[in-house]
Amino acid sequence: MKYTRLPDNYQNYVFDLYGTLMDIHTDESDPKIWEKLAFFYGCYDARYTGEELKAAYERLVCGKEKEMASEMLEEGKENPRYAHEAFPELEITDVFQKLFAEKGVDADEVLAVHAGQFFRILTLDYVRYYPGTVEMLASLKEKGKKVYLLSNAQRIFTEYELHALDMAKYFDGIMISSDYGTKKPDPRFFDLMYENYGIGPEGTLFVGNDSTTDIAGAKGAGMDTFYVNSNISPKDDWAEDATYKIADFEAWDM
């Protein structure tokens, strides 16, 4: 097993989650998943076939992302830093709620959250720490470092997974993209992190497993970067210009 150790000359450490601290595998392609989710919706009189539900879900997600991107690009005209690209992050609870509404069912937010979490469980093969993750985070905290999470994710999934694995306690701040309508590598998300926690790029190291969303985004925000090529990194990914980089990451060392 190959172990990776972080440099300890920074005061703030900002982590990506999936593929960096947490190993996860999900699969939304199996028709049986959509058939089971359709049965769940049918329990509340929102009747779909599995195929129909999958098509409606994809249509709603795609439509909302396009709408948000258009709005963000329009807003970006007033700020040159945000003018070139937009990376919207929708709140997936809204999609699960609209799937009820399209069948004439007035579902409240609680039911929509439960539908989304049931979907997550159906699609989840596993979620687990990378070896050494807990020890590494605990070591940073013992050294008096500030530890933050900046994750492209959905709160209705990720918040519960963090608590299920007892990981949330290691962070001084947690930002999940679905709460903010934007995601890495959009500079909006990094700027919000600086604003929320009163930190800046100096003395801050960003750690992630994707050369575009993590490393390019963090570099654009002025941070030093630590790239780990993990089992979830994009195929043939490599962050040549990262401050630090590790190939074939498997585990954390203290």
Side-chain angles (χ1 to χ4, degrees):
M1 183 175 290
K2 300 176 182 179
Y3 289 91
T4 296
R5 181 187 291 268
L6 289 173
D8 64 0
N9 55 316
Y10 295 87
Q11 180 55 38
N12 308 308
Y13 292 78
V14 182
F15 289 92
D16 169 58
L17 181 59
Y18 299 112
T20 301
L21 299 175
M22 195 179 285
D23 189 8
I24 190 170
H25 186 265
T26 62
D27 182 4
E28 300 177 6
S29 64
D30 187 346
K32 292 181 180 179
I33 289 170
W34 296 97
E35 291 168 6
K36 291 177 181 179
L37 187 63
F39 188 83
F40 178 91
Y41 271 80
C43 291
Y44 297 92
D45 295 325
R47 307 197 186 283
Y48 288 92
T49 65
E51 185 176 349
E52 180 189 7
L53 181 61
K54 182 175 185 291
Y57 173 86
E58 292 173 347
R59 170 176 51 79
L60 289 169
V61 168
C62 183
K64 184 61 176 177
E65 287 178 343
K66 287 181 178 179
E67 177 187 336
M68 292 176 68
S70 178
E71 292 173 355
M72 290 169 71
L73 288 171
E74 188 64 29
E75 293 170 1
K77 292 179 180 179
E78 300 177 6
N79 186 335
R81 180 163 163 74
Y82 304 147
H84 302 295
E85 291 185 274
F87 296 88
E89 182 74 282
L90 56 79
E91 168 52 72
I92 201 67
T93 306
D94 295 341
V95 171
F96 290 108
Q97 195 164 28
K98 287 178 181 177
L99 287 169
F100 283 107
E102 290 200 349
K103 293 296 184 176
V105 176
D106 185 17
D108 62 16
E109 184 177 353
V110 172
L111 180 55
V113 167
H114 289 168
Q117 292 173 333
F118 180 57
F119 173 73
R120 179 68 157 190
I121 291 168
L122 289 173
T123 60
L124 185 66
D125 291 330
Y126 61 79
V127 58
R128 59 199 178 201
Y129 298 126
Y130 285 107
T133 292
V134 170
E135 293 82 359
M136 180 270 294
L137 292 174
S139 177
L140 289 174
K141 297 302 296 177
E142 288 169 5
K143 294 174 183 177
K145 309 296 187 179
K146 294 292 185 180
V147 181
Y148 302 97
L149 183 69
L150 194 70
S151 180
N152 286 359
Q154 291 293 325
R155 177 164 292 279
I156 66 168
F157 305 153
T158 299
E159 180 179 19
Y160 293 89
E161 289 163 5
L162 286 170
H163 284 282
L165 294 179
D166 200 24
M167 186 184 280
K169 64 187 180 184
Y170 295 106
F171 298 104
D172 295 283
I174 294 172
M175 288 182 62
I176 298 174
S177 58
S178 66
D179 292 343
Y180 297 92
T182 185
K183 61 187 176 184
K184 300 172 292 183
D186 199 312
R188 295 170 179 83
F189 200 23
F190 294 94
D191 288 350
L192 285 165
M193 179 189 69
Y194 292 152
E195 180 181 343
N196 285 351
Y197 302 125
I199 63 173
E202 185 176 351
T204 300
L205 181 67
F206 188 93
V207 187
N209 74 299
D210 187 302
S211 64
T212 301
T213 59
D214 293 329
I215 303 307
K219 282 180 64 65
M223 283 179 275
D224 283 357
T225 55
F226 194 109
Y227 172 78
V228 292
N229 187 271
S230 75
N231 61 316
I232 304 180
S233 296
K235 185 178 180 181
D236 300 323
D237 195 42
W238 184 246
E240 188 62 47
D241 56 352
T243 313
Y244 312 90
K245 40 192 173 290
I246 299 293
D248 302 320
F249 163 74
E250 296 181 17
W252 290 107
D253 192 9
M254 293 174 61

